[in-house]
Amino acid sequence: MLENQPPHKKRRLTRTGTSLHIYCYPEDDHRTDAAANKMAANGPAMAASLGSEPMDTDIVDEVLPTVKVPSVATAAYGDYIESLPINVLFQARIQASPAVRTMYPQALIGESIRLWYPDYKCFNGVLHDGIVPRLGVHRDAVNSLRIVARKGGELVWEGSFACFENQWEEALGELRKNGVGRRVEGGLGSADSVRLLVGLYCPASD
């Protein structure tokens, strides 16, 4: 015998949250230009409703900077090459003498240090980040510099100059003119080796 039961209430299903509208178009769908323009216009609004933000193109440009290299057929290409760091591995050491050894006992005399110029990029880098701390001398003690460049055992260029930035840049220009360090590709393995002799101020040697 069946028992009498109260009628069941129908449950009403309600939707909560954000509704997501997905538009799917088959490959052979032929939309009108007006419909396509409407979808393109509603794109940013739909993205905002979903909590996403459009990509900032300025940020992309900062992360991936554009390097413009002039054509090799133009005069600007020569200027571009000249603006690149010269690819030279300087073998820097102090010019030794008995007077220098006596006056600068803490300096690294008779030993060479390697200074790859693209790592230092400028005269102040070579002097203040390379020669002074690594050779153990004070800036005021550095009196002169002498560059001796050889290729295949033959002397290519040699020059001595006072320890000033403008004379240093002129010396690098002479190296470029003689084909020393003009190639910047290949890293340390393709760098030209050049001797950089550091002269220290020493009145007793006069």
Side-chain angles (χ1 to χ4, degrees):
M1 183 177 179
L2 298 175
E3 295 180 358
N4 292 330
Q5 296 181 358
H8 294 283
K9 288 185 178 181
K10 293 183 178 180
R11 293 182 179 178
R12 185 176 181 181
L13 299 178
T14 60
R15 292 179 297 175
T16 60
T18 305
S19 61
L20 176 63
H21 300 280
I22 301 177
Y23 297 88
C24 298
Y25 293 94
E27 294 180 358
D28 59 348
D29 178 47
H30 300 285
R31 290 178 292 163
T32 61
D33 293 340
N37 294 336
K38 183 177 180 181
M39 285 296 299
N42 292 335
M46 291 178 62
S49 67
L50 297 175
S52 61
E53 298 180 356
M55 182 178 293
D56 191 346
T57 56
D58 292 337
I59 295 178
V60 177
D61 292 339
E62 291 179 3
V63 175
L64 300 174
T66 302
V67 178
K68 296 181 179 179
V69 180
S71 171
V72 295
T74 63
Y77 184 77
D79 297 335
Y80 166 74
I81 294 297
E82 292 296 325
S83 67
L84 297 176
I86 192 169
N87 194 20
V88 167
L89 180 64
F90 285 110
Q91 304 287 346
R93 67 177 177 84
I94 297 173
Q95 298 186 83
S97 70
V100 168
R101 294 180 183 276
T102 301
M103 192 167 184
Y104 302 97
Q106 302 300 324
L108 187 64
I109 300 175
E111 298 185 30
S112 296
I113 60 171
R114 303 198 310 171
L115 302 176
W116 190 33
Y117 189 64
D119 282 347
Y120 295 88
K121 299 180 181 179
C122 64
F123 173 71
N124 285 331
V126 170
L127 184 62
H128 294 285
D129 300 332
I131 293 175
V132 169
R134 296 183 60 184
L135 290 180
V137 296
H138 192 271
R139 164 65 183 92
D140 295 337
V142 181
N143 185 42
S144 64
L145 298 172
R146 181 184 174 197
I147 292 179
V148 181
R150 296 178 181 273
K151 275 194 173 185
E154 296 184 1
L155 180 65
V156 176
W157 185 80
E158 179 177 0
S160 299
F161 50 94
C163 192
F164 296 109
E165 183 174 5
N166 61 336
Q167 297 191 29
W168 170 263
E169 294 298 332
E170 291 178 3
L172 294 188
E174 291 296 327
L175 291 180
R176 290 181 186 272
K177 289 179 183 178
N178 289 274
V180 179
R182 289 185 63 89
R183 290 177 56 86
V184 297
E185 304 85 358
L188 190 61
S190 65
D192 290 324
S193 180
V194 177
R195 294 175 65 189
L196 178 62
L197 304 177
V198 180
L200 300 183
Y201 177 74
C202 191
S205 63
D206 294 340

